[in-house]
Amino acid sequence: MRTPVVAGNWKMNGTRSSVASLLQGLKQGLQPGRTEVLVCAPYPFLNQVSDALSGTPIRWGAQNASQHESGAYTGEVSVAMLQEFGCSHVILGHSERRALYGEQDDLVADKFCAVQRAGLVPILCVGETLEQRDAGDTVAVVEEQLMAVVDRAGIAAFADAVLAYEPVWAIGTGRTATPEQAQEVHAALRQRLAQIDESVANGLSILYGGSVKAANAAELFGCPDIDGGLIGGASLDAEEFIAICQAAE
Ligand code: PGA
């Protein structure tokens, strides 16, 4: 049985006080269950998040990390630093990083390896644009993004990783993929991995992301190859996020 995972991606949002009330709401409202729940916060809030969530079942992570260990990389944050703040997971290859900051498959693969070397869990994001979907290239695009990392890190690395399918056209747009559309891509990704190692493929949690909310979560999570969600906007609202976590149960 795969572990359901619900991860909040706060993106570049929050203040010390909004983060405090969000964390308070999550601590009070979230019922412990079998779902692994985590929040991926902006770097400056990691200390606050770790203070608030230590000793609770909620875990936390970051939204990016450097591929380098340390040194002259102005503005970058290393995996070792994230480790010091108790991060368990790091989102990598989010489509916003790919589109806005020019991150390509090679770099994402390097970051994936750096995160795993430190014993943290990478959440690798893949997804197609609307043009690519309309051209019928969805599966080819996401498989290429996935295989760039498999080729570098090896299939065994995916025994300790999470994969997230996030169609770019569904992110922050209010336009969710239908459960059928999402399931089709999730199944294709799992099948691609199963060609190399069936047991790794069967054990891998594949999350769906893109306008997930309390109202559509249960239907999405009910699909056989959807093992949870990566939640942007709705993760900033404690009640909404908790309802999504409950849907994963
Ligand atoms: P959204 O973002 O839930 O706001 O669409 C998801 C994501 O980008 O991870």
Side-chain angles (χ1 to χ4, degrees), residues 39 41 43 46 50 59-63 79 81-90 118-121:
V39 294
Y43 301 134
L46 285 176
S50 121
R59 304 172 86 185
W60 60 95
Q63 303 164 17
V79 176
M81 294 170 189
L82 299 179
Q83 218 170 10
E84 275 210 85
F85 286 89
C87 289
S88 57
H89 291 69
V90 184
L120 275 68
V121 179

Side-chain angles (χ1 to χ4, degrees), residues 7-9 11 91 94-96 125 166 170-174 209-213 230-235:
N9 174 11
K11 308 195 181 185
I91 297 172
H94 191 281
S95 64
E96 286 152 16
C125 301
E166 297 207 313
I171 294 177
T173 56
S211 299
V212 177
K213 25 188 198 290
L230 181 53
I231 321 298
S235 72

Side-chain angles (χ1 to χ4, degrees), residues 4-60:
V5 179
V6 175
N9 174 11
W10 293 356
K11 308 195 181 185
M12 197 174 74
N13 292 296
T15 61
R16 287 181 72 89
S17 89
S18 75
V19 165
S21 47
L22 177 52
L23 291 169
Q24 188 60 24
L26 294 181
K27 281 207 290 190
Q28 277 173 353
L30 206 61
Q31 301 300 322
R34 65 186 193 102
T35 303
E36 181 160 82
V37 176
L38 63 128
V39 294
C40 296
Y43 301 134
F45 298 130
L46 285 176
N47 198 33
Q48 193 183 349
V49 170
S50 121
D51 282 349
L53 297 184
S54 293
T56 76
I58 309 170
R59 304 172 86 185
W60 60 95

